[in-house]
Amino acid sequence: MKLVRFDDINGRETFVNADRVNHVSDYGSGTTEINFGDKEATVFVTMEVSKVASTLLKAGRL
């Protein structure tokens, strides 16, 4: 399990298991959706989608 730390749209610290991510989507205005299961298993973070993808890829290589 590779946990990656993000801040969600409410400013709360949240951790995502990089191995379980299904997709990331640009939600506009610097917000990215990270999905790691069904529709209830989604977190919205205040970070550009390219930076989220890069962060998750780096975690996958460790």
Side-chain angles (χ1 to χ4, degrees):
M1 179 182 341
K2 296 173 182 84
L3 295 178
V4 182
R5 183 194 170 284
F6 292 100
D7 289 330
D8 72 7
I9 58 173
N10 297 312
R12 291 180 287 197
E13 181 178 60
T14 187
F15 293 88
V16 173
N17 181 348
D19 295 332
R20 305 281 289 171
V21 172
N22 292 328
H23 68 269
V24 295
S25 300
D26 184 5
Y27 221 68
S29 301
T31 301
T32 300
E33 171 190 14
I34 304 171
N35 178 277
F36 46 91
D38 58 18
K39 36 183 174 173
E40 281 99 35
T42 297
V43 64
F44 294 90
V45 298
T46 53
M47 186 183 289
E48 295 291 332
V49 70
S50 60
K51 187 163 182 181
V52 170
S54 175
T55 302
L56 290 168
L57 284 171
K58 287 178 188 173
R61 285 189 228 146
L62 298 177

